[in-house]
Amino acid sequence: MFRGLSAFPLTPTDEQGIDDTAYATLVARLAAVGVDSIGALGSTGGYAYLTREQRAHAAKIAVEAADGVPVIVGIGALRTAHVLALAEDAQKAGASGVLLAPMTYQPLTEEEVFGLYEDVTRELSVPLCVYDNPGTTHVNFTDELHGRIAQLPNVGSIKIPGVPDDPAQAKARVDALRALIPDTVTIGVSGDYTAARGLNAGCDAWYSVVGGTFPQTALALTRAARSVDPDRATGLSDELEPLWALFRRHGSLRVISAAASHLGLTGEPNLPLPLRGLDEAARQDVAAVLSALQLTA
């Protein structure tokens, strides 16, 4: 579950709620092509904008549509009590694991971050992936903090931000973290345009935005890296640079939102307010890049 490709699909949502049919279809597509796990209600899944009831409903849909493929459900929330409730809902839905980012309004101290994971892992019966996403949460994990958290029960993986551009520095970054965590805890990379570097540097998994909509493309890159073919993995990533450029310019969520609607995988709008989709000019750019890269539904 915490190795290989973990694909994170959009949760198509408007002001009336989740589009159950579109969401189930997105998840089923991932299961059909053989991703290693499915990340429901991650950042791409818009978890922070949904009610507890909507999140429980989405988790149930994802587990059913995944047809046996492990589903990792995001449980992040501002209050520990809410995280615990969401963890209970995810487990009742049949999740194989959970994903937890330390959401903040007031800045959290290192002890408060550790305390969150200590309280949550104590109550879990499934493995947890620590979500290190400073660009969104504004929580900066040190490797020492990761090492402390990784010793807690039920911690199975750490999802780290993108690694340095230089391959030697990327490997040193992964090796430094790995030296502080148990062998039972894997390291997964996020930040799609650094995924090949992360996998080539020794990361066990790719927690992938693009994999949630274009799983075959992401699987090819992941399998190349995991079969120790770094040049092929790098080449496949380089071919996707026009898409990565859009991610950097507009944010991956908005680009994937536009791609999903362009390909007819979801309706429009598919993001919860106040999030808004791309303007028409940017949508045309997305359509042109998808066509050039032959990325289809």
Side-chain angles (χ1 to χ4, degrees):
M1 174 171 54
F2 295 134
R3 297 180 185 275
L5 177 66
S6 187
F8 282 68
L10 189 72
T11 308
T13 307
D14 61 21
E15 295 315 288
Q16 281 66 56
I18 296 168
D19 183 336
D20 294 3
T21 300
Y23 185 49
T25 300
L26 285 171
V27 173
R29 291 174 71 246
L30 306 180
V33 301
V35 301
D36 297 290
S37 65
I38 295 165
L41 299 172
S43 296
T44 305
Y47 71 93
Y49 299 93
L50 304 178
T51 66
R52 178 184 177 183
E53 293 73 21
Q54 288 174 321
R55 293 170 69 167
H57 181 59
K60 184 173 184 293
I61 292 172
V63 170
E64 290 176 354
D67 195 26
V69 174
V71 175
I72 305 165
V73 175
I75 58 170
L78 288 173
R79 292 190 58 189
T80 299
H82 298 167
V83 175
L84 291 169
L86 291 162
E88 181 180 1
D89 293 342
Q91 290 173 112
K92 284 182 177 178
S96 298
V98 294
L99 173 71
L100 176 57
M103 291 180 67
T104 62
Y105 179 76
Q106 295 293 338
L108 297 178
T109 68
E110 186 167 295
E111 285 308 308
E112 287 169 338
V113 174
F114 179 80
L116 168 66
Y117 287 97
E118 185 177 40
D119 291 341
V120 173
T121 56
R122 187 185 297 122
E123 302 297 326
L124 284 175
S125 58
V126 297
L128 176 144
C129 177
V130 177
Y131 190 3
D132 180 352
N133 184 6
T136 298
T137 66
H138 308 293
V139 172
N140 291 292
F141 285 83
T142 63
D143 282 359
E144 289 71 24
L145 177 57
H146 274 311
R148 290 178 64 199
I149 293 171
Q151 301 293 332
L152 293 170
N154 295 312
V155 174
S157 187
I158 302 170
K159 179 181 179 181
I160 64 170
V163 297
D165 292 345
D166 178 76
Q169 292 179 9
K171 186 175 187 307
R173 191 271 171 277
V174 174
D175 289 348
L177 177 57
R178 197 178 297 282
L180 298 175
I181 64 176
D183 292 341
T184 54
V185 177
T186 69
I187 300 173
V189 66
S190 59
D192 278 16
Y193 36 86
T194 74
R197 290 196 299 274
L199 291 168
N200 288 341
C203 286
D204 305 289
W206 175 15
Y207 296 110
S208 174
V209 174
V210 76
T213 304
F214 303 107
Q216 292 171 315
T217 299
L219 270 172
L221 191 158
T222 305
R223 287 170 176 165
R226 289 181 60 77
S227 63
V228 197
D229 191 349
D231 290 341
R232 175 162 172 73
T234 299
L236 289 170
S237 181
D238 289 346
E239 290 174 7
L240 295 171
E241 175 54 31
L243 183 62
W244 304 152
L246 291 176
F247 278 19
R248 290 190 291 268
R249 187 179 314 147
H250 302 294
S252 60
L253 174 58
R254 291 178 180 85
V255 173
I256 288 298
S257 164
S261 60
H262 173 73
L263 295 172
L265 295 171
T266 71
E268 188 68 38
N270 56 27
L271 295 176
L273 292 172
L275 297 177
R276 297 181 184 273
L278 299 177
D279 62 27
E280 186 56 34
R283 288 174 181 276
Q284 290 178 10
D285 290 341
V286 171
V289 165
L290 297 183
S291 177
L293 296 178
Q294 300 182 353
L295 292 173
T296 66

